[in-house]
Amino acid sequence: MKKIVITRNINPDIIAKLRKDFEVAVWEEDQKPMPRGKFLEETKDAHAVLTMLSDKIDEEFLANAPDLKIVANLAVGFDNIDLEAAHRHEVVITNTPDVLTETTAELAFTMMLVSARKVLEANKELMAGEWSGWSPYHMAGTDVFGKTVGIFGMGSIGAAFARRLSGFKSNILYHNRSESEAANALGAKLVSFEELLRESDFVLCAAPLTEETKHKFDREAFEQMKESAHFINIGRGAHVVEDDLAEAIKSGKIAGAALDVFENEPIGADHPFIGLDNMTLLPHIGSASVATRNNMMNLCVNNIMEVLNGGTPITPVK
């Protein structure tokens, strides 16, 4: 019987689909990744692995699992995977595009509004019993309606975010490797990275992580932004030089930031962002609705079953 390893505790009803025909080993933790040693030991005789972004798929892992046919990554991104090594070992890599697009765009829009209107700061003050009464400029933030919003990375999530801006009569700018028909249909304008930074009141990073986009948002980038601007990141943490962003917030170079991703996750109490005003920090919950996570899990399972039964993967990473 072929063996499948699942590196995090997922919906048992979805696991049950696999257990009908395969041996399934599950790391029964919700938040803690499978330790590397355990991961290598458990997968050495595996035919398929359902992985998380926290699982490193590299030459060591692939060489250690000679029977492996597929790695199904529970994410759109796959920067945890050495694709060249996977190709050498003839292992299929799949991801979960499309099924989480709307949910992630929805959270990004929420983060923009929360950052603009100082929602977390106001809630913190109220919950601490420190609200002393109404005053004209108390917790006064900025409007989103009618503002210029720049989107770095106009893929499916960027386009879904842009659609949500239509009701806010936003001026939409975007920077992408190529022109986007979906963005153009919304009246968005393709601009240089520098113009995006210079003109936008809100900058959303929704790009995939590549060598070209890694640490793209550094001191120089933040210095080009308006002092009234807000930065939102739902792409990858490594798009940002985190010390530079912390300094931009502390110095008032930009007005605020909202982040759902960090370069090294999870972050602890000693992280430079912790304790800073004007920062909205979330624990990587971009696609975290029950329906979407179940759809992602089902897509991973369906990819695995297709490959192990001799079929074609549904969402291969090419």
Side-chain angles (χ1 to χ4, degrees), residues 285-305:
I285 59 170
S287 61
S289 76
V290 173
T292 294
R293 288 288 167 86
N294 283 340
N295 287 337
M296 292 168 67
M297 293 170 191
N298 273 312
L299 182 52
C300 285
V301 165
N302 291 339
N303 271 310
I304 288 171
M305 291 193 297

Side-chain angles (χ1 to χ4, degrees), residues 143-199:
D143 295 316
V144 175
F145 187 88
K147 294 298 180 67
T148 296
V149 181
I151 302 173
F152 178 72
M154 189 57 81
S156 58
I157 294 172
F161 181 85
R163 288 199 306 274
R164 285 160 170 79
L165 292 168
S166 60
F168 282 71
K169 297 192 181 301
S170 302
N171 174 35
I172 307 171
L173 307 178
Y174 73 99
H175 180 73
N176 207 47
R177 286 180 297 183
S178 58
E179 199 164 2
S180 166
E181 292 185 8
N184 293 344
L186 293 166
K189 179 183 177 184
L190 178 64
V191 297
S192 68
F193 182 59
E194 292 72 23
E195 184 176 350
L196 183 92
L197 297 174
R198 187 173 61 248
E199 300 297 329

